Amino acid sequence: MNLFSLIRAAIPSPVKTFIETNAGTILTYADMLARSGQLANVLVARGVKPGDRVAAQVEKTPESLLLYLATLRAGAVFLPLNTAYTPTELNYFIGDAQPTVFVCDPSRRDALSAIAAKHGAGIETLDANGQGSLTDAATKASSDFADVARTSDDLAAILYTSGTTGRSKGAMLTHKNLSSNAKVLVEYWRFTKDDVLLHALPVYHTHGLFVASNTVMLSGGAMIFLQKFDADEVMKLLPSATAMMGVPTFYTRLLKHSGLTKAACAHMRLFTSGSAPLLAETHVEFSEKTGHAILERYGMTETNMNTSNPYDGDRIAGTVGFPLPGVELRIADADTGTVLPQGEVGGIEVRGPNVFAGYWRMPDKTKAEFRADGFFITGDVGRVDPRGYVHIVGRAKDLIITGGFNVYPKEIEAEIDAMPGVIESAVIGCPHPDFGEGVTAVVVCKPGASLNEKGVIGELETRLAKFKLPKRVIFVEDLPRNTMGKVQKNVLREQNAKLYAS
Ligand code: AMP
């Protein structure tokens, strides 16, 4: 039941291309097998045993994906970390997950080795060109490796989600969670060995790592790896690709590109979008310009993919489609869990082989987010229309999604509130033409305090990942509150709705 055995079984031919990069690297499936085998031998030599964690904060390269595969083969648990995380944040993740090996960029080795050592992890390096102590050791290792057997309930990965209460939670994903979802997506989205996926997503997040890579690998297809999304680069590569998976920001950026035409997309069969709401206007405009209806789907770190617009049939703008085969979805009263009548708006709950095994070492938090009958409370609010399409209408949790990244306001508010001269703050997402939502801080200062926008952002820069930083800081006398004393973030959002208008 090791996911890697399914990946291995799907290899169409050893000479077939597995990954190519825009820098000219080409890896065949034979290379993938040999090099992931070498890396797995290095991990074992470094003391990694089945069930141990292997953490990685590394740039996206073919080698970073091979490290994920090597971890699976060794029966260990992969723990990818956002490259933007600061040492303070990493200290928490490494301390919480206690990996046996932590892989980082060589430029950060000095700054991070004490953190790794403190938590008992060995440190290895891998840079943006796929070079480092890890690959040095791998070149000397044997490529033969006997994959470690796993049961379907054994863990394959832990992905940290930001915590609404400040602490991040590690979502535990089993081999079955990942393989069942990837199998469903291969069929639903019709992936075959002839597909070439234009892969411009990060590989430390569920979208780029599992939705994109696992789906391609289980179909024996190929990927073109771009380290970052770049509209010019994507336009250049579209004629070599058949599919692209993106966040809405990719599509708004492509729409600004003068080269985006039907002819430019003639070789493509599928564009998908997820991780944040795709504006109906974007869907319509893209379809007018290219003839392609973007296929929007909905999922989350904890559940993998839950719903998708159909491959054949209407892909409806502003909806996330139907529950995927094997996924049960219901709309329930957020407080009581009572299932609501068809058409009503309520909390989205899901159950199925895609749903994670719980939060790492947080049994109480895990319990609180599941109903007694096994449904997971997603925290998203939605409804199902008469045709069965799911609509997401909001988020029960106070989440900002900026450029596809989740930002939990509480974490940033706590940092701002701790600054001298601050009484309180509210962090909100405001419509942003490029990022979807722009992180915005509204701050109340003590009389006479000499805080300014630049100073607040500068202070946060040392503590928080770049994507979490407010793009604007606004100073006000008071925060608007309702009769229950709760800050009315909706009022703040309305007041600042045009803050980033272009
Ligand atoms: P993550 O765990 O980072 O993948 O974030 C998951 C959250 O992203 C979900 O709980 C939703 O709030 C949001 N999300 C993902 N896909 C969509 C979508 N197609 N439309 C609206 N929100 C989405």
Side-chain angles (χ1 to χ4, degrees), residues 374-396:
F375 273 82
F376 175 63
I377 306 162
T378 64
D380 292 308
V381 176
R383 70 182 167 85
V384 180
D385 73 18
R387 291 175 68 189
Y389 285 83
V390 176
H391 298 237
I392 297 179
V393 300
R395 276 168 257 145

Side-chain angles (χ1 to χ4, degrees), residues 160-162 205-207 248 273-278 296-307 318-320 376 378-381 392-397 399 401 404-406 408:
Y160 276 84
T161 64
S162 303
H205 185 267
T206 184
H207 197 168
S273 178
S275 292
L278 181 77
E296 185 169 7
R297 94 296 178 284
Y298 156 63
M300 60 198 300
T301 302
E302 289 93 328
T303 63
N304 298 283
M305 295 306 98
N306 294 316
T307 72
T319 83
V320 294
F376 175 63
T378 64
D380 292 308
V381 176
I392 297 179
V393 300
R395 276 168 257 145
K397 32 184 199 189
L399 178 76
I401 304 184
F405 291 118
N406 289 359
Y408 287 87

Side-chain angles (χ1 to χ4, degrees), residues 154-178:
D154 281 326
L155 297 191
I158 296 177
L159 262 58
Y160 276 84
T161 64
S162 303
T164 39
T165 50
R167 277 191 79 194
S168 289
K169 295 172 283 184
M172 300 190 289
L173 296 152
T174 65
H175 284 264
K176 184 167 84 200
N177 292 152
L178 301 183

Side-chain angles (χ1 to χ4, degrees), residues 411-419 422 425 427 441 443 456 460 470:
E411 190 185 4
I412 300 151
E413 288 162 7
E415 295 289 349
I416 298 177
D417 293 351
M419 290 179 193
V422 171
S425 63
V427 171
V443 178
V456 170
L460 292 174

Side-chain angles (χ1 to χ4, degrees), residues 72-354:
L72 292 178
R73 295 183 69 176
V77 182
F78 192 56
L79 199 157
L81 293 159
N82 191 322
T83 44
Y85 284 142
T86 63
T88 315
E89 290 165 319
L90 290 170
N91 184 46
Y92 168 70
F93 295 122
I94 309 274
D96 190 51
Q98 296 181 304
T100 304
V101 169
F102 170 53
V103 187
C104 68
D105 192 88
S107 65
R108 303 187 91 187
R109 188 189 177 120
D110 287 348
L112 299 176
S113 51
I115 292 174
K118 184 169 84 181
H119 301 298
I123 196 159
E124 296 289 337
T125 60
L126 189 61
D127 71 11
N129 297 312
Q131 303 296 313
S133 67
L134 196 67
T135 32
D136 286 349
T139 50
K140 294 177 210 122
S142 164
S143 56
D144 290 334
F145 186 84
D147 301 341
V148 173
R150 297 275 81 190
T151 69
S152 51
D153 292 334
D154 281 326
L155 297 191
I158 296 177
L159 262 58
Y160 276 84
T161 64
S162 303
T164 39
T165 50
R167 277 191 79 194
S168 289
K169 295 172 283 184
M172 300 190 289
L173 296 152
T174 65
H175 284 264
K176 184 167 84 200
N177 292 152
L178 301 183
S179 60
S180 66
N181 211 236
K183 276 191 212 161
V184 163
L185 295 180
V186 169
E187 288 221 354
Y188 211 77
W189 295 343
R190 312 265 173 92
F191 270 84
T192 72
K193 65 178 176 34
D194 298 324
D195 272 303
V196 179
L197 181 83
L198 193 40
H199 191 309
L201 293 159
V203 287
Y204 49 72
H205 185 267
T206 184
H207 197 168
L209 185 60
F210 302 141
V211 186
S213 307
N214 282 350
T215 303
V216 171
M217 290 190 286
L218 282 203
S219 62
M223 293 179 260
I224 305 176
F225 253 34
L226 294 185
Q227 247 165 8
K228 296 213 157 51
F229 177 86
D230 176 283
D232 286 330
E233 202 63 35
V234 166
M235 289 307 307
K236 226 188 294 166
L237 291 166
L238 282 178
S240 316
T242 62
M244 186 177 82
M245 298 186 192
V247 293
T249 311
F250 286 13
Y251 296 106
T252 51
R253 290 189 186 173
L254 284 178
L255 280 168
K256 286 195 190 130
H257 198 285
S258 56
L260 188 75
T261 58
K262 283 198 168 84
C265 299
H267 197 249
M268 295 290 287
R269 68 167 185 91
L270 180 65
F271 290 93
T272 71
S273 178
S275 292
L278 181 77
L279 289 178
E281 295 97 271
T282 311
H283 188 281
V284 170
E285 218 186 308
F286 197 85
S287 150
E288 280 167 5
K289 273 208 175 154
T290 67
H292 284 276
I294 299 170
L295 183 154
E296 185 169 7
R297 94 296 178 284
Y298 156 63
M300 60 198 300
T301 302
E302 289 93 328
T303 63
N304 298 283
M305 295 306 98
N306 294 316
T307 72
S308 171
N309 269 279
Y311 191 83
D312 296 320
D314 297 338
R315 299 178 192 168
I316 308 233
T319 83
V320 294
F322 306 112
L324 285 162
V327 179
E328 293 170 83
L329 182 146
R330 70 187 184 195
I331 305 293
D333 181 279
D335 297 324
T336 62
T338 312
V339 178
L340 297 173
Q342 140 78 38
E344 282 196 24
V345 171
I348 300 178
E349 302 186 354
V350 293
R351 185 169 69 177
N354 54 311

